[in-house]
Amino acid sequence: MEAETAHATDEYGIPVIPCPSDAARRKRQLIIDAAAAEFLAEGYSAASMDAITSRSGVSKATVYKHFGNKERLFLAVIGGILPGSCAGPEPRGAALADAPDLRAALIGLTRDWAALLLRPDVMALRRLVIGEVDRFPQLGRLWYRLTYDVNNGPLVEAVTELGRRGKLDAPDPGLAVQQLVAATVGVPQLVHTFAPATEVDEAELTRVVTSGVDLFLARYAAS
């Protein structure tokens, strides 16, 4: 039974690490914080278990006792960070159907979403997952699922409802949302993913998002 627990994973293939006792919880958190900093700074291959041990102030034996090996430590730590990276403004997709000004509501929603995704910590995590997705495809699957559930899913529901109310004419709400995201959030996200030194220009970000929303409405607003 202990062997099975030690190798247990969730539906995405992320290791399930049993909760420690109260006495061990502080050490566990020190390890997680140190590993996150090391992996984000160095990537998986260059990250050193010795460096993680040094950063955490916890013995190497304790690190291995909690997480088993470097691979499980990486998956558990980065997989644990990903849900928080999607957290931000409350999902407002469902509220779009009742917005008195749909254009303004879409601009506000996608502008806030873009600001979240362009945060340095979120961008660093995104680059790390992209860089390691061939080695750890489970992280890519988890990121995609979280992004859909937190952001795209509510928007699909809203576009569907707006269609029912005759405000939008989008026969394929899922495709319409993908196009909205690509034309608003996707443009600045792509730039900052591969050009990390690029500063966020707030005026330019608003211009891009507004143009993307106008493009979306030009295609899908009911006549």
Side-chain angles (χ1 to χ4, degrees):
M1 181 64 70
E2 288 184 4
E4 292 179 1
T5 301
H7 295 90
T9 59
D10 65 14
E11 61 183 305
Y12 300 102
I14 306 300
V16 176
I17 308 297
C19 293
S21 64
D22 290 341
R25 192 165 292 138
R26 181 174 175 276
K27 288 185 178 180
R28 166 77 62 84
Q29 192 58 51
L30 289 171
I31 297 167
I32 290 172
D33 292 344
E38 178 71 7
F39 287 131
L40 286 168
E42 304 295 338
Y44 176 78
S45 296
S48 161
M49 291 296 277
D50 287 336
I52 291 170
T53 299
S54 177
R55 282 178 183 264
S56 68
V58 175
S59 72
K60 186 179 290 188
T62 300
V63 174
Y64 281 100
K65 177 181 178 182
H66 279 270
F67 293 95
N69 55 41
K70 180 181 174 181
E71 179 177 314
R72 284 179 62 80
L73 175 61
F74 178 77
L75 283 171
V77 169
I78 302 305
I81 293 173
L82 285 179
S85 73
C86 295
E90 288 296 317
R92 292 179 289 170
L96 287 175
D98 297 318
D101 185 335
L102 178 58
R103 178 177 181 271
L106 283 170
I107 291 171
L109 176 63
T110 52
R111 180 67 176 74
D112 289 348
W113 189 0
L116 168 66
L117 294 179
L118 295 183
R119 276 179 12 206
D121 58 321
V122 177
M123 292 305 301
L125 186 59
R126 175 181 173 82
R127 293 186 201 101
L128 176 63
V129 172
I130 290 173
E132 301 294 346
V133 74
D134 287 338
R135 189 196 307 263
F136 300 109
Q138 52 270 66
L139 290 177
R141 291 193 297 268
L142 176 58
W143 186 295
Y144 181 83
R145 185 72 255 170
L146 289 168
T147 299
Y148 185 88
D149 288 346
V150 173
N151 297 307
N152 292 52
L155 276 176
V156 171
E157 293 175 5
V159 169
T160 301
E161 180 58 26
L162 286 162
R164 292 194 192 101
R165 298 187 187 188
K167 295 182 179 181
L168 291 179
D169 182 11
D172 186 339
L175 176 61
V177 167
Q178 288 178 341
Q179 292 168 339
L180 173 63
V181 173
T184 55
V185 176
V187 175
Q189 183 185 51
L190 184 65
V191 170
H192 289 270
T193 295
F194 297 105
T198 305
E199 293 187 6
V200 177
D201 183 323
E202 299 294 341
E204 177 63 10
L205 183 60
T206 298
R207 188 184 76 85
V208 169
V209 165
T210 300
S211 178
V213 168
D214 286 342
L215 184 67
F216 172 81
L217 290 175
R219 169 62 180 86
Y220 290 113
S223 56

